[in-house]
């Protein structure tokens, strides 16, 4: 609904936001980007705490969460005041390498155990994010329909690594080891 950045500390902007929240009652509020949501110095702990307090007030007791998009500095670490990291419940860093593989790393989880980094990429054909943490055979098998029979040529077509590498990488042999066969078709149980 916003076509311009709101200043969360401006009473008029805050009132307008509250009006929208009462009408929509969202489960999630996304603030993108944090630096555009206020006019304070991002290195000032007191100023940042005021902004974070406003955000916390928008979600506390309302069965609502906030996702705050915040960029890293040139050093590769989070920018700004330390109160930001201290106040948030979960902090996730998203990075992309030159091959288009994205890594989501958890930097903080307040009330839980840390989660290992997750690697994923965007499939340009399907526009679906695909897990890059799993092996190629795991990706292929997870996409198969249980109980449906597949010819080896079907599996080769479904393989995302390219038809020529299906045999070179031994994916066909792994399929034979991990799928059940009736002599003609291969099945995922």
């Amino acid at each position: 609904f916003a076509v311009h950045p709101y200043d969360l500390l401006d009473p008029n902007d805050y009132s307008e936001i509250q009006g929208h929240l009462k009408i929509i009652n969202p489960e999630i509020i996304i603030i993108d980007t944090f630096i555009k949501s206020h006019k304070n110095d991002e290195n000032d702990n007191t100023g940042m705490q005021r902004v974070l307090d406003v955000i916390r007030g928008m979600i506390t007791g309302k069965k609502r969460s906030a996702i705050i998009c915040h960029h890293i500095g040139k050093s590769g670490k989070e920018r700004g005041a330390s109160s930001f990291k201290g106040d948030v419940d979960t902090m996730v860093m998203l990075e992309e390498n030159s091959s288009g593989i994205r890594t989501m790393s958890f930097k903080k989880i307040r009330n839980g155990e840390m989660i290992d980094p997750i690697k994923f990429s965007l499939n340009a054909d399907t526009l679906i994010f695909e897990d890059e943490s799993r092996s190629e055979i795991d990706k292929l098998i997870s996409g198969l329909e249980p109980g449906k029979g597949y010819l080896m040529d079907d599996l080769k077509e479904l393989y995302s690594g390219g038809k020529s590498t299906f045999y070179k990488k031994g994916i066909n042999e792994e399929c034979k080891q991990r799928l059940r066969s009736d002599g003609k078709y291969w099945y995922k149980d």
Side-chain angles (χ1 to χ4, degrees):
F1 53 81
V3 292
H4 62 87
Y6 284 104
D7 180 353
L8 294 174
L9 299 178
D10 178 274
N12 293 327
D13 283 358
Y14 182 75
S15 178
E16 187 177 336
I17 292 168
Q18 286 298 88
H20 290 301
L21 293 177
K22 284 179 184 171
I23 294 167
I24 299 168
N25 194 26
E27 292 181 19
I28 299 173
I29 298 170
I30 300 173
I31 298 171
D32 185 8
T33 62
F34 183 65
I35 192 68
K36 297 281 188 180
S37 69
H38 59 86
K39 292 186 174 119
N40 286 356
D41 175 1
E42 71 178 346
N43 294 307
D44 175 34
N45 274 315
T46 304
M48 291 303 91
Q49 193 59 55
R50 286 181 56 221
V51 177
L52 292 167
D53 287 347
V54 168
I55 296 169
R56 179 114 9 230
M58 295 164 72
I59 64 173
T60 301
K62 297 171 180 75
K63 296 183 180 179
R64 187 180 290 158
S65 297
I67 297 173
I68 304 169
C69 301
H70 189 39
H71 294 277
I72 58 172
K74 291 178 184 174
S75 68
K77 295 183 179 181
E78 56 269 2
R79 282 185 347 201
S82 60
S83 63
F84 184 85
K85 185 173 184 179
D87 195 77
V88 299
D89 295 327
T90 303
M91 184 178 278
V92 178
M93 180 179 278
L94 186 61
E95 300 172 282
E96 182 178 11
N97 69 18
S98 59
S99 319
I101 306 277
R102 293 159 175 90
T103 302
M104 184 168 52
S105 305
F106 292 82
K107 302 300 180 186
K108 176 185 177 182
I109 299 178
R110 186 181 310 273
N111 296 316
E113 293 184 25
M114 290 301 285
I115 299 171
D116 290 334
I118 300 168
K119 294 183 181 295
F120 59 96
S121 63
L122 180 63
N123 181 319
D125 296 326
T126 63
L127 298 179
I128 294 174
F129 285 104
E130 296 179 345
D131 185 352
E132 294 290 341
S133 304
R134 298 178 299 157
S135 70
E136 293 179 10
I137 187 70
D138 287 339
K139 290 181 210 175
L140 173 63
I141 290 175
S142 70
L144 299 179
E145 187 179 320
K148 178 180 177 183
Y150 295 88
L151 295 170
M152 192 56 70
D153 282 344
D154 297 331
L155 297 173
K156 183 173 66 173
E157 289 292 322
L158 293 170
Y159 174 61
S160 63
K163 296 174 194 168
S164 62
T165 60
F166 184 75
Y167 294 103
K168 286 181 190 172
K169 289 190 173 184
I171 301 299
N172 61 319
E173 293 302 320
E174 282 199 60
C175 284
K176 290 177 185 176
Q177 291 174 11
R178 295 181 54 186
L179 299 173
R180 177 178 52 83
S181 176
D182 64 6
K184 182 177 180 181
Y185 292 100
W186 298 89
Y187 298 88
K188 172 184 169 182
D189 292 326

